[in-house]
């Protein structure tokens, strides 16, 4: 079955550590996105990528980094510079964002907790 | 900058009590407006895409409508299993960004 896989589902980080969240899709989608969701809040865009080896900052990119070396993979690194990283992280993909109204598909999320 | 505002933040209904959720948006040009349902601890699940003013789409007890400034998600005779957070998102014509609202948390009591 095609879909988006995020791992791990739960992640604990010590202060000062960098951690990497995995996002893999086998839908052959061009664009991929990372969102952050805090309790009772909507989704805020961290980074997005329309093609391999290219990505753009979203609204809250500070303290995060990404790479897009392969079409199917878009890992997110939460660096020690991110002062409040505890949140629910969601990865999404779109087949071709230039097409009218193509919807985004989401993974099941990674819950990151700083301990 | 794209803006999406959803209201109310939370809505509590009795089973069978119909109501509507609102999504107001500001974009330079709308490529699509999307409605998603999100259950606690899960990723959002796609419901509808609307492209142009006047468009309507239905799925079971849900009906989405679109005007030039807002969209409504109408819930007819809701059931407890409709309890979830409903998210609205817009995509503008000039790029790939997908901007979400804060969501409406719906609770349907039996």
């Amino acid at each position: 079955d095609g879909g988006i896989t995020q791992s791990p589902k739960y992640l604990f980080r010590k202060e000062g550590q960098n951690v990497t969240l995995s996002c893999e899709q086998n839908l052959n989608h061009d664009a991929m996105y990372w969102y952050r969701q805090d309790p009772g809040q909507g989704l805020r865009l961290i980074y997005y990528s329309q093609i391999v080896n290219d990505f753009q900052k979203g609204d809250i990119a500070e303290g995060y980094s990404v790479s897009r070396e392969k079409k199917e993979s878009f890992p997110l690194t939460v660096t020690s510079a991110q002062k409040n990283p505890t949140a629910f992280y969601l990865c999404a993909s779109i087949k071709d964002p230039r097409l009218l109204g193509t919807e985004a598909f989401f993974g099941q999320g990674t819950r990151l907790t700083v301990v | 900058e794209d803006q999406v505002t959803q209201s109310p933040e939370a809505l509590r209904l009795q089973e069978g009590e119909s109501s509507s959720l609102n999504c107001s948006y500001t974009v330079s040009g709308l490529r699509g407006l999307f409605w998603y349902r999100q259950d606690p601890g899960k990723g959002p699940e796609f419901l509808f895409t609307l492209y142009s003013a006047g468009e309507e789409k239905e799925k079971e007890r849900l009906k989405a409508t679109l005007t030039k400034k807002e969209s409504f998600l109408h819930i007819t005779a809701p059931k407890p299993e409709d309890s979830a957070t409903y998210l609205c998102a817009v995509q503008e014509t000039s790029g790939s960004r997908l901007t979400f609202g804060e969501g409406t948390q719906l609770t349907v009591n039996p």
Side-chain angles (χ1 to χ4, degrees), chain B:
Chain B
E1 183 179 320
D2 301 345
Q3 287 192 331
V4 181
T5 303
Q6 291 188 245
S7 62
E9 290 184 11
L11 181 62
R12 190 177 294 271
L13 301 173
Q14 289 298 120
E15 185 172 2
E17 180 185 2
S18 301
S19 189
S20 297
L21 282 55
N22 177 262
C23 172
S24 298
Y25 64 91
T26 303
V27 293
S28 54
L30 183 68
R31 176 171 288 166
L33 183 141
F34 306 87
W35 281 99
Y36 286 85
R37 168 192 170 126
Q38 186 179 25
D39 293 302
K42 301 285 182 65
E45 176 187 337
F46 171 75
L47 293 173
F48 301 108
T49 307
L50 300 167
Y51 306 99
S52 57
E55 188 175 3
E56 298 182 353
K57 289 197 175 171
E58 289 188 64
K59 179 180 180 181
E60 296 181 354
R61 295 177 292 282
L62 300 177
K63 178 180 176 180
T65 62
L66 181 66
T67 72
K68 288 186 177 180
K69 295 183 178 180
E70 58 191 354
S71 177
F72 291 93
L73 185 65
H74 306 278
I75 303 177
T76 302
K79 298 181 178 181
E81 53 262 42
D82 294 322
S83 297
T85 295
Y86 290 85
L87 296 165
C88 171
V90 297
Q91 186 178 26
E92 59 171 343
T93 54
S94 62
S96 300
R97 290 175 63 103
L98 189 61
T99 302
F100 281 82
E102 298 287 307
T104 293
Q105 186 174 355
L106 174 67
T107 303
V108 182
N109 296 314

Side-chain angles (χ1 to χ4, degrees), chain A residues 16-112:
Chain A
Q17 279 185 337
N18 293 353
V19 291
T20 298
L21 284 60
S22 171
C23 178
E24 303 276 334
Q25 54 98 358
N26 60 2
L27 300 166
N28 197 33
H29 283 183
D30 294 324
M32 297 186 73
Y33 302 76
W34 275 106
Y35 289 91
R36 168 180 172 142
Q37 188 175 34
D38 292 286
Q41 302 294 312
L43 279 60
R44 291 186 290 167
L45 183 62
I46 305 173
Y47 270 99
Y48 63 105
S49 167
Q50 300 178 72
I51 56 173
V52 174
N53 292 323
D54 187 42
F55 47 83
Q56 290 77 41
K57 292 182 178 179
D59 300 318
I60 56 166
E62 185 175 351
Y64 300 97
S65 65
V66 294
S67 62
R68 187 88 185 275
E69 298 177 359
K70 299 186 296 183
K71 186 176 184 178
E72 57 271 22
S73 179
F74 191 40
L76 174 73
T77 296
V78 184
T79 75
S80 57
Q82 171 49 240
K83 297 306 178 186
N84 185 23
T86 295
F88 189 50
Y89 291 87
L90 287 159
C91 179
S93 69
I94 294 178
K95 171 59 178 171
D96 184 347
R98 296 168 301 176
L99 297 179
L100 187 64
T102 49
E103 72 268 23
F105 291 83
F106 282 84
Q108 289 303 298
T110 292
R111 187 167 299 281
L112 173 63

